[in-house]
């Protein structure tokens, strides 16, 4: 197939491109390189079935393709809060541009949504049927509400125009090719531990997240796009749940060294708990289930960062 990946030079996008190229597809990436890097896809640039176009998804684009994966959007809180208006525009206008293209060329179109649509969840773990608890005017809203609006657009294009959509709500995913200055917790802790710097826990470290290794997530995405039973939304993630203090201690154990744990203020609206209910994905995606335990995934990610920091 001919497949368009927006945001394909980022962390998740570059892993997706590796899989799509390995599976024999023609892949076009469009990315404005805001948080992505050409080095993430450097090994693909000379490949005859791979093409990179520097382009902002806010501006319309036209490609003759069979599938579209819409990933373009900064994902780490410091990056999406750097220019919040741009973040909302990227989610909303990027979705409109992908959906308009999908409608014209009759492509199946995938939306990288997020567990952030649940906000600071009052229901735990979170099933897809939960509508969420999102502050519409806070620091995280540019991302959360942008992604919620994108989901609305996906489902309206589906209902009104018959566009063939797939929507996945991704829970915290980590692995090689995260940006060392990304600001997300896994890369922060690993880079700090490798550099012998203090490990910065925000708040008291009792808040929880569920961490999925990148390969498990991408496998779920491909199965989601291949099936025709349901359009989603699907939760994808690893239901193992850890406090940030547990994550810090595990990272320190694996890296070794002399870093100390220090406590910093908790950012506004930081969700207290998060764990996916993945019953739907496990039922529909042909036995998909996350396979890589946190300790093993962290070890692989540490091995990636070690020569780079
Ligand atoms: P990332 O920041 O590494 O990748 C995002 C990519 O989008 C980057 O290459 C960036 O340059 C590009 N981009 C940003 N704005 C753009 C624009 N206006 N036009 C074109 N390109 C643009 O983040 P990631 O972790 O790879 O996330 C990929 C997608 O998955 C995002 O949509 C994110 O919201 C979603 N997601 C990720 C996670 C996670 O844990 N990694 C969790 C939930 C959702
Ligand atoms: N966090 C932390 N130290 C850091 C970076 C993040 O304690 O150096 C916390 C953050 O406050 C949040 C959790 O780790 O409670 C996950 O943060 P991340 O930015 O990775 O993702 P998100 O909050 O979007 O799930």
């Amino acid at each position: 197939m001919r497949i368009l990946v927006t945001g394909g030079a980022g962390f998740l996008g570059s892993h997706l491109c590796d899989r799509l190229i390995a599976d024999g597809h023609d892949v076009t990436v469009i990315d404005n390189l805001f948080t992505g890097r050409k080095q993430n896809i450097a090994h693909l640039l000379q490949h005859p079935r791979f093409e990179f176009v520097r382009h902002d998804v806010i501006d319309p684009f036209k490609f003759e393709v069979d599938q579209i994966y819409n990933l373009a959007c900064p994902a780490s809180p410091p990056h999406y809060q750097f220019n919040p208006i741009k973040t909302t525009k990227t989610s909303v206008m990027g979705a409109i541009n992908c959906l308009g293209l999908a409608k014209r060329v009759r492509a199946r179109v995938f939306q990288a949504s997020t567990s952030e649509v649940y906000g600071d969840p009052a229901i735990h773990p979170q099933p897809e049927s939960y509508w969420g608890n999102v502050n519409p005017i806070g620091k995280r809203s540019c991302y959360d509400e942008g992604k919620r609006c994108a989901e609305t657009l996906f489902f309206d294009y589906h209902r009104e125009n018959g566009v063939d959509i797939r929507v996945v709500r991704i829970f915290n995913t980590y692995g090689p090719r995260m940006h060392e200055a990304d600001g997300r917790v896994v890369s922060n802790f690993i880079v700090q531990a490798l550099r012998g710097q203090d490990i910065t826990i925000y708040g008291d470290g009792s808040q929880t997240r569920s961490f999925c290794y990148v390969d498990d997530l991408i496998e779920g995405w491909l199965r989601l796009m291949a099936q025709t039973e349901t359009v989603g939304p699907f939760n994808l993630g690893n239901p193992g749940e850890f406090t940030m203090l547990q994550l810090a201690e595990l990272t320190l154990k694996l890296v070794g060294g002399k870093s100390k744990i220090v406590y910093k203020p908790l950012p506004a609206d930081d969700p207290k708990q998060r764990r996916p209910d993945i019953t739907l994905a496990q039922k529909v995606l042909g036995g998909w289930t996350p396979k890589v335990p946190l300790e093993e995934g962290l070890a692989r990610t540490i091995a990636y960062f070690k020569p780079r920091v």
Side-chain angles (χ1 to χ4, degrees), residues 7 9-13 30-36 55-58 71-75 86 90 112-114 143 147 170-173 184:
F11 159 50
L12 296 177
I30 62 176
D31 198 303
N32 70 351
L33 299 181
F34 173 44
T35 52
H55 182 82
D56 196 307
V57 293
I58 285 175
L71 317 185
C73 187
K86 171 85 190 208
T90 295
S113 191
T114 169
Y143 183 75
K147 290 283 189 180
I170 304 159
F171 284 65
N172 299 62
T173 302
R184 281 179 277 189

Side-chain angles (χ1 to χ4, degrees), residues 77 140 172 184-185 188 200 202 207 209 244 270 274:
R140 296 175 86 99
N172 299 62
R184 281 179 277 189
V185 68
N188 266 14
T200 54
Y202 303 159
Q207 73 271 39
R209 294 292 186 274
M244 294 312 100
D270 199 281
R274 187 182 285 155

Side-chain angles (χ1 to χ4, degrees), residues 155-180:
F155 278 85
D156 281 333
Y157 268 78
H158 177 59
R159 278 187 294 259
E160 298 293 311
N161 301 114
V163 173
D164 189 15
I165 62 163
R166 299 289 183 278
V167 175
V168 55
R169 294 178 178 158
I170 304 159
F171 284 65
N172 299 62
T173 302
Y174 68 98
R177 302 195 195 135
M178 292 185 90
H179 198 296
E180 71 198 49

